[in-house]
Amino acid sequence: MDVKLSEVAVQAVPLLERFEPLLDPEAFSLLRDAAEAGRELLRGRTVWNVNSTATGGGVAEMLAPLVAYGRGAGIDVRWLVIGGDAEFFRITKRIHNRLHAVEGDGGDLGDAERAHYDRVMRANCDELTAVVHEGDIVLLHDPQTAGLVEPLQRLGALVIWRCHVGVDQRNDLAEQAWDFLRPMVEPADAIIMSRKEFAPDWLAERVHVVPPSIDPFSAKNEDMDRPTVRSVLAHVGVISGDPDHAVAYTRRDGSPGRVDHVADIVRAGPVPGPDSPLVVQVSRWDRLKDMAGVMLGFAEHVDGGGDAHLVLAGPNVTGVADDPEGAEVLQECIEAWRTLPHAARARIQLVCLPMADVEENAAIVNALQRHAAVVVQKSLAEGFGLTVAEAMWKGRPVVASAIGGIRDQVVHGETGILLDDPTDLAAFGRAVTELLADPERADRMGAAARQRVLERFIAPRHLIQYGEIFAALLAGR
Ligand code: UDP
C-alpha cells in the first residue's frame, strides 16, 4: 500500500522566555525546574508525536505549540503524520464517532475493517522503523495510530497511547469501538486521556489524566487589538467596515503574517455592522458539534428584535485530511438554513474559513472569538473542546453543553453557562439571550474565565505533566 508518513517541521520557541511574563513566580519556577529535569531525563532520546493530520481539529492545534516549546526547552521533540487512504479514514471516523457513543456511518468494525486498518498501519510502520530508535518515547494520538503501539515497542521505544476523545456514559456503540482498540492499546506502556470518566473499566486503573491546553501566544490566541479584530473580520467578509487597518498577526516563528484570503460565506441580506453583537460557534463541520442545532436554537429562541447575528464558522471543507464527513455536514447545514424563514436567515451566516495557511486561519478564528458577544459550543459530545478554552482565554462568556471535557472548563454561572441538556434549544436560546441582555455580567464571566484558563489550561501545566509521566516510565524501565 502506498501511504506516506510525513514530518511536520516545527521551529523551536523559547519556553521560559515566553512564559516568564505571564506566570506568577511560583508557577514559573515550577516550569523552569521541569524544563531542566526534562532536558536531563531525555538527553539522547527523541520524543515522537504521531497523529493523522497536520491541520484542522484539536490535536493538531495542540501539537504545534507543545512540540515548539519542547524543542525550545532543549528536548528533541518531533511530530510525524501517518498516511492512510479514504477507506482507512472512513473506518477511523467510525471509531471516533462510536467512542462518542454515536453510530456515525453505520458501517461495521469487523474483520474486514481490522484487516484494512492493519494494512495501513504496516505501511506506516515500514517508514517509522527507519527513524524511531530504542529508548525513544513515542506519543501516539487517537485511534488512527493505535495499531502502532506494539510494532514500536518491538523497536525498544516506550510507547504512550493518548486518546483525546470519549464520553462519560459509554453505550454499546462505544464498547464496540473499545473492543476494536483493546488488543492494540492494552500493551501500551502508558495511557493518557483527557478525563478519567472516558476510560473503559479494563483501562481505568492505568490512565493518566492530562487535559489539553492552549497556547496563549499562538496566532489563535495572541492579543489582538479592536481595530485589527474588526479589520480582519471586514476583510474576510463577516462584518462590514474598513478592512484597511493592518490585518496582522504574529507567526510562531516571530515573523509577521497578514490575512489575505477571504471566507466562503452563505448569507442572506446585508453584512452585519461592526457593532451588531455576534453569537459565534467555531467548529469542524461534524454532526457532534451540532451546528444545525445551534442555528435552529438561535432562529427560534433568540430574540429577533435585537440586532444579534449568529456566525457558524468551520474550516473550508476540503481542508481537514482525516475528516471525511465535513462536506456532507456543511451541506446539511446549508439545507437547514434554506428552510428557515427569511428574517431568521438574514441573521445567520455560515462561514467557511480559508485553510490555505493554518496561521492565517487561526488569526481569523482569533478575531471571531474576540469580536463575539457570546461564544457557544453546543456540542453533543466533546473530548475537551479547545474552542471553549480559546474563548475563555479571550475573556468571552461561553454557553456550552455540560458534557465531557467542557465540564472541566466552564464553572456554571461563574465562567459561563452550562447547558444540562444540549438538545434543549429553548434553554440554549434563554442562556444566549440572558448574556446578550447583560453585557456587564458577560464581561465578569469572561474575566473569571480567562483566569481559570491561565491557572489550568495553558501549555506549561501540560508540559510539566508530560515530564512527570516520562520520568515515571523511564524509572520503571
Ligand atoms: N478550528 C480552526 N478553524 C476552524 C475550525 C476549528 O482553527 O475553521 C480549531 C479551533 O479553534 C480549535 C480546534 O480547531 O482549536 C478544534 O478543537 P476542539 O477541541 O474544539 O474540537 P475537535 O475538532 O478536536 O473535535
Side-chain angles (χ1 to χ4, degrees):
M1 174 176 287
D2 187 26
V3 300
K4 213 117 201 76
L5 185 76
S6 52
E7 176 152 10
V8 184
V10 181
Q11 280 199 341
V13 175
L15 172 70
L16 299 177
E17 286 84 335
R18 267 290 162 90
F19 282 96
E20 189 165 17
L22 194 63
L23 298 177
D24 66 43
E26 197 185 332
F28 180 70
S29 91
L30 281 177
L31 180 65
R32 198 183 41 216
D33 295 350
E36 209 176 294
R39 217 168 20 249
E40 203 46 47
L41 182 76
L42 299 168
R43 196 184 302 278
R45 300 175 195 273
T46 297
V47 178
W48 298 96
N49 285 275
V50 186
N51 83 324
S52 60
T53 180
T55 56
V59 177
E61 177 73 24
M62 208 161 49
L63 278 179
L66 291 176
V67 173
Y69 289 131
R71 296 178 70 76
I75 297 164
D76 184 21
V77 188
R78 317 249 306 253
W79 176 5
L80 298 172
V81 176
I82 61 163
D85 59 1
E87 176 60 10
F88 174 76
F89 289 122
R90 260 196 301 279
I91 295 168
T92 57
K93 182 79 194 194
R94 199 172 293 157
I95 300 172
H96 174 96
N97 279 322
R98 294 197 191 160
L99 286 177
H100 280 135
V102 298
E103 185 153 34
D105 67 357
D108 288 336
L109 286 177
D111 292 343
E113 289 70 27
R114 178 166 307 280
H116 192 85
Y117 180 100
D118 287 348
R119 250 196 318 278
V120 173
M121 289 291 110
R122 271 198 303 279
N124 281 286
C125 239
D126 290 344
E127 295 195 62
L128 267 170
T129 49
V131 290
V132 175
H133 288 223
E134 183 172 356
D136 285 354
I137 295 180
V138 186
L139 279 154
L140 298 175
H141 297 269
D142 278 338
Q144 294 91 322
T145 61
L148 299 170
V149 171
E150 276 198 297
L152 293 172
Q153 282 177 321
R154 278 200 293 276
L155 292 176
L158 278 161
V159 183
I160 302 171
W161 184 62
R162 177 161 187 179
C163 185
H164 296 268
V165 297
V167 271
D168 292 344
Q169 307 286 331
R170 281 176 306 285
N171 61 6
D172 286 351
L173 291 164
E175 296 306 341
Q176 255 177 41
W178 280 114
D179 287 347
F180 189 92
L181 293 170
R182 183 170 181 168
M184 299 186 286
V185 303
E186 213 165 19
D189 294 285
I191 306 278
I192 298 180
M193 303 193 93
S194 302
R195 306 196 88 204
K196 71 173 180 331
E197 290 80 357
F198 291 171
D201 297 341
W202 50 269
L203 208 55
E205 288 286 293
R206 304 180 47 211
V207 164
H208 298 267
V209 175
V210 180
S213 61
I214 62 163
D215 176 16
F217 303 106
S218 64
K220 173 83 47 83
N221 298 310
E222 68 174 349
D223 288 343
M224 192 184 263
D225 63 29
R226 219 159 106 111
T228 308
V229 165
R230 290 179 170 214
S231 179
V232 169
L233 296 183
H235 174 82
V236 297
V238 171
I239 62 173
S240 62
D242 178 7
D244 281 349
H245 186 270
V247 185
Y249 58 94
T250 317
R251 293 186 179 279
R252 201 172 296 288
D253 65 7
S255 65
R258 192 178 67 176
V259 176
D260 289 318
H261 294 89
V262 296
D264 293 343
I265 300 180
V266 176
R267 174 172 55 218
V271 191
D275 295 318
S276 294
L278 290 193
V279 176
V280 173
Q281 176 162 307
V282 177
S283 293
R284 286 178 299 105
W285 301 100
D286 179 319
R287 289 188 189 89
L288 292 174
K289 308 291 183 182
D290 200 21
M291 296 283 229
V294 173
M295 179 159 61
L296 214 60
F298 185 85
E300 290 179 357
H301 300 286
V302 176
D303 180 14
D307 191 24
H309 285 247
L310 174 68
V311 172
L312 296 173
N316 196 309
V317 287
T318 52
V320 182
D322 67 347
D323 190 357
E325 288 174 6
E328 210 175 285
V329 174
L330 170 63
Q331 205 47 45
E332 285 166 13
C333 286
I334 296 174
E335 295 303 322
W337 177 85
R338 278 192 216 293
T339 64
L340 293 174
H342 180 79
R345 250 180 299 146
R347 299 194 295 135
I348 296 172
Q349 16 182 352
L350 303 177
V351 179
C352 286
L353 301 175
M355 291 290 285
D357 175 335
V358 261
E359 292 193 284
E360 177 192 60
N361 174 279
I364 302 169
V365 172
N366 191 352
L368 266 174
Q369 291 169 331
R370 284 183 192 279
H371 190 73
V374 178
V375 172
V376 304
Q377 193 61 56
K378 205 188 78 57
S379 305
L380 305 175
E382 197 67 77
F384 182 72
L386 282 174
T387 49
V388 173
E390 289 161 4
M392 290 171 71
W393 174 248
K394 292 162 188 127
R396 305 322 303 144
V398 176
V399 173
S401 310
I403 49 160
I406 294 177
R407 291 164 61 187
D408 298 326
Q409 301 184 66
V410 176
V411 182
H412 180 64
E414 266 177 51
T415 65
I417 297 183
L418 284 177
L419 304 167
D420 284 332
D421 175 3
T423 62
D424 182 347
L425 299 184
F428 164 75
R430 269 197 307 279
V432 170
T433 306
E434 263 175 40
L435 288 175
L436 287 173
D438 191 349
E440 275 175 25
R441 177 166 176 241
D443 285 347
R444 269 199 311 280
M445 278 185 171
R450 181 175 167 99
Q451 185 59 27
R452 188 168 169 83
V453 172
L454 178 63
E455 287 164 12
R456 293 170 186 244
F457 300 118
I458 57 173
R461 184 270 306 151
H462 203 147
L463 293 166
I464 291 171
Q465 275 189 293
Y466 268 165
E468 289 165 356
I469 294 170
F470 297 168
L473 272 183
L474 288 168
R477 203 166 236 210

